[in-house]
């Protein structure tokens, strides 16, 4: 069956009915993104893998009682974020989540945005310099919006803030990036993004 041609509601309906192929499709489609997102909080790959494994086992066990109305990705990311933070707090009792979170280098993810949009930095170190000046919540909001392509409403629910606050986090983060980075070539997509926020 070509699951890519089905809506997420249809795919989830198959999972709820016990279709293992549909469940495997969901795992193969989203597990890598969950793994990447997990690295925004900790470098402990075993912990990340355990949380992902436990999440999917839990979902399969309770599939008949779980209702996914629109986005499977949002549901998975929200559950994963919540469970990972719990595990991190237990594993790193002597450190705050902010301290653990701050150890991750975000460069790879943001370079991915730039590369996909054919944006070339004058200096390879500028992305590190720019990201070092952006608060973690701004970086996470931008990551969720432009790499994982979640909606503002979904991000607000995940990060437990109001939608206007999500706009504000992203606006301030992008403005800071714009002020620090010098682009030698900007794609139409990214130009439109900057125009939207800085016109």
């Amino acid at each position: 069956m070509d699951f890519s041609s089905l809506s997420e509601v249809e795919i989830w309906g198959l999972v709820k009915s016990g279709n293992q192929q549909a469940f495997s499709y969901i795992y193969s489609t989203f597990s890598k993104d969950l793994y990447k997102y997990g690295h925004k909080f900790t470098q402990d790959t075993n912990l990340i893998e355990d949380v992902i494994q436990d999440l999917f086992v839990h979902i399969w066990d309770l599939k008949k009682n779980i209702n996914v109305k629109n986005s499977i990705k949002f549901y998975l990311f929200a559950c994963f974020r919540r469970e990972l933070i719990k595990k991190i707090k237990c594993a790193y009792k002597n450190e705050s989540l902010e301290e653990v979170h701050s150890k991750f280098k975000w460069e790879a993810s943001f370079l991915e945005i730039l590369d996909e949009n054919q944006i070339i930095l004058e200096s390879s170190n500028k992305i590190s310099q720019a990201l070092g000046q952006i608060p973690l919540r701004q970086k996470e909001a931008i990551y969720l919006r432009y790499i994982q392509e979640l909606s503002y409403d979904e991000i607000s629910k995940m990060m437990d803030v109001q939608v206007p606050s999500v706009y504000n986090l992203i606006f301030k983060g992008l403005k800071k990036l714009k002020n620090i980075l010098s682009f030698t070539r900007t794609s139409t997509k990214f130009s439109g993004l900057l125009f939207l926020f800085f016109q």
Side-chain angles (χ1 to χ4, degrees), residues 60-183:
W60 181 253
D61 288 343
L62 299 178
K63 58 186 177 295
K64 292 183 179 180
N65 300 319
I66 298 173
N67 293 314
V68 177
K69 297 180 179 179
N70 296 308
S71 172
I72 294 173
K73 183 173 188 175
F74 165 66
Y75 176 79
L76 292 175
F77 266 68
C79 292
F80 174 73
R81 185 182 194 272
R82 182 172 59 249
E83 293 305 313
L84 183 63
I85 288 175
K86 285 182 183 177
K87 292 290 180 67
I88 288 174
K89 287 181 177 179
C90 290
Y92 301 92
K93 292 181 179 179
N94 295 326
E95 296 181 86
S96 67
L97 179 63
E98 186 84 0
E99 290 172 327
V100 175
H101 198 174
S102 67
K103 293 177 182 178
F104 179 79
K105 294 187 179 298
W106 292 77
E107 286 87 337
S109 297
F110 282 81
L111 284 171
E112 182 180 334
I113 295 178
L114 301 179
D115 183 62
E116 287 180 355
N117 290 280
Q118 298 180 321
I119 298 168
I120 302 170
L121 294 180
E122 292 177 353
S123 168
S124 60
N125 293 325
K126 279 196 171 184
I127 189 69
S128 298
Q129 175 190 350
L131 291 173
Q133 298 182 44
I134 298 176
L136 292 171
R137 288 178 70 79
Q138 291 179 14
K139 283 185 277 196
E140 183 178 6
I142 294 172
Y143 174 85
L144 291 172
R145 182 71 187 101
Y146 295 107
I147 291 185
Q148 296 303 333
E149 299 182 336
L150 298 182
S151 69
Y152 289 98
D153 184 59
E154 290 170 338
I155 296 169
S156 75
K157 292 175 182 175
M158 282 185 61
M159 298 183 69
D160 195 26
V161 296
Q162 297 296 316
V163 171
S165 297
V166 177
Y167 277 100
N168 192 45
L169 286 170
I170 293 175
F171 172 83
K172 288 183 177 179
L174 289 175
K175 186 175 182 179
K176 178 78 74 172
L177 282 175
K178 179 177 180 287
N179 290 338
I180 298 173
L181 300 177
S182 297
F183 302 119

Side-chain angles (χ1 to χ4, degrees), residues 3 22-34 76:
F3 294 105
F23 184 72
S24 295
Y25 172 78
I26 290 174
Y27 179 85
S28 62
T29 301
F30 298 111
S31 60
K32 289 183 180 179
D33 285 339
L34 290 172
L76 292 175

